[in-house]
Amino acid sequence: MAKPFILVVDDQAEIRQVLEKLLKTNGYQVEDAADGKEAIEKIKTGVFDVVITDLKMEDYSGIEILRIAMAQPYDPEVLLITAFGSVDSAVEALKMGAYDYLEKPLDLKKLVVIIERALEKRKLKSEIVGLRREVEKYHSRTNIVAESPQMLKILESVKLLSRTDSTVLIEGESGTGKEVIARTIHLWGPRRNKPFIAVNCGALPAPLLESELFGHVKGAFTGAAKNKKGLFEEADGGTILLDEIGDMDLPLQIKLVRVLQDAEVRKVGCNFPVNVDTRIIAATNRKLESLIKEGKFREDLFYRLHVIPISVPPLRERREDIAPLLNHFIEKYSRKFKKKIRGFLPETLSALIQYDWPGNARELENFVERMVSLSGSSLIKPSELKNFISLRERPSEKPLSRPQNLKLSALYNTIEKEHILKILKKNLWNISKSTKDLGICRSSLWIKMKKHGIGNHYNKENIE
Ligand SMILES: Nc1ncnc2c1ncn2[C@@H]1O[C@H](COP(=O)(O)OP(=O)(O)OP(=O)(O)O)[C@@H](O)[C@H]1O
Ligand SMILES: [Mg+2]
């Protein structure tokens, strides 16, 4: 470990010399400063473990030095040296976060003990920070939002089956959180410290997928310049998620049945198998039963995968999860974009809960990411949804399926209509007041009212 680095601040040269000598003989690295100004410069440019400062100096007080030291990202421990009798300021310093204080004349033995303790505290602090980071990393990987009875029930089974090695089949529409559930099964079980590998079986042509999953030997096909481990082997001891299993072609399905049966894989171009201890989780957004009927999915594979089935309902069937998911992603993206977004206005939220989310949690996540990155205010207003939607529809943006955009526009319209109606009612249909509340001009309000058919309910007698 590097030598602890200590800064000594005192305007009396003798004290600095005594302390410097004492600290150096105790194995510390020492820097000194003869006044507050010099100390502040050094604090801002150096990285000290401990700062020892006199409480009373010509230019700055020790309290000032303490405040600046504590504002540094490296967060040193601060010890104050006080003149006999100035206990009040010392107590104030302790309240502000100083580690301790010592009265003059200095008891050097006591000083050494205090510094050792301060360094010990610093070590513990950094260990805690490290542990907290670990925990956060773990949580951010497992963070699964589940408030609806359906999701809570799924989590109950996840808890139980995470301790087993059974094959699990997760069914659900696209974006419902199948991969999150698979990852949770892995992380809650004894395999958590081994790899979790997700493979999209629909993304690669069959021969490539086979060599990805099972590996190949050198020369097995043109371009196979080296032996290559397959993902089953890479995930040995851990878990493999075979995503979009319904897209796997039939010959490969036969090979997969063998893996499930014998717990061994055969590399492409190799005659002997390799044992693997990889837990298999499969996921699909297609109905495997209908694929079986169409002859596109093998029944024997289905039964081997279907040992424990989990069916994830679409978000529109578990609306209790919508608000918690919105909050979860607002928190995530506020942190990412360093914004202070508190959430949605109630009318925005209620419309978002009514929305059907055809793309499920993934659509919801993308929506929030964009909202947070575009929003300038801490509470998201219905009017901001419009910016978001129009940007989403810009051709330069990532392609998104048209129906989703149209549905979101419909959603925006509902929100806008509700919001305008609410404001009009609140102001007893007074247009001037309402335009002020809405932050739009009179003619825009008329146009919007006409668009939403609000004019039909509008009573002419209320025009001021
Ligand atoms: N219950 C949940 N809690 C927290 N995040 C979730 C939840 N469900 C889904 N998500 C998030 O939504 C996104 C989509 O989830 P995931 O990839 O697990 O869906 P999927 O069902 O595997 O989708 P696909 O069928 O398209 O592969 C991910 O970013 C995921 O983190
Ligand atoms: Mg997936």
Side-chain angles (χ1 to χ4, degrees), residues 51 101 135 211:
V51 173
Y101 70 93
V135 170
S211 101

Side-chain angles (χ1 to χ4, degrees), residues 326 344-345 347-353 355 357 367-368 370-372 374-375 377 379-393 405 407-417 419:
L326 287 167
F344 299 96
L345 279 176
E347 59 263 35
T348 325
L349 188 60
S350 90
L352 290 172
I353 291 173
Y355 178 55
W357 301 105
F367 165 84
V368 174
R370 208 164 279 244
M371 286 288 283
V372 173
L374 293 177
S375 179
S377 55
L379 263 181
I380 293 168
K381 296 191 272 311
S383 55
E384 286 176 79
L385 271 179
K386 194 178 167 193
N387 302 336
F388 159 69
I389 289 161
S390 59
L391 261 177
R392 226 174 115 137
E393 282 173 348
N405 289 334
K407 283 199 175 134
L408 270 171
S409 307
L411 167 70
Y412 171 68
N413 280 333
T414 318
I415 295 169
E416 188 181 64
K417 184 176 171 181
H419 189 57

Side-chain angles (χ1 to χ4, degrees), residues 175 178-179 241 243-244 283 362:
K178 298 185 293 293
E179 183 164 343
L241 168 66
D243 208 352
E244 316 304 354
R362 173 168 299 113

Side-chain angles (χ1 to χ4, degrees), residues 25 58 212 275 292-293 303 313 366 415 442:
T25 48
E58 291 282 324
E212 270 301 301
N275 285 331
I292 294 174
K293 278 192 199 116
Y303 286 114
N366 292 342
I415 295 169
R442 225 181 155 81

Side-chain angles (χ1 to χ4, degrees), residues 143-146 151 172-181 243-244 285 318 325 328-329 332 361-362 365:
N143 242 348
I144 180 161
V145 173
M151 280 301 286
E173 282 180 15
S174 186
T176 43
K178 298 185 293 293
E179 183 164 343
V180 185
I181 292 171
D243 208 352
E244 316 304 354
N285 54 29
R318 46 179 173 102
L325 279 169
H328 170 75
F329 292 126
K332 175 174 167 184
R362 173 168 299 113
E365 179 170 2

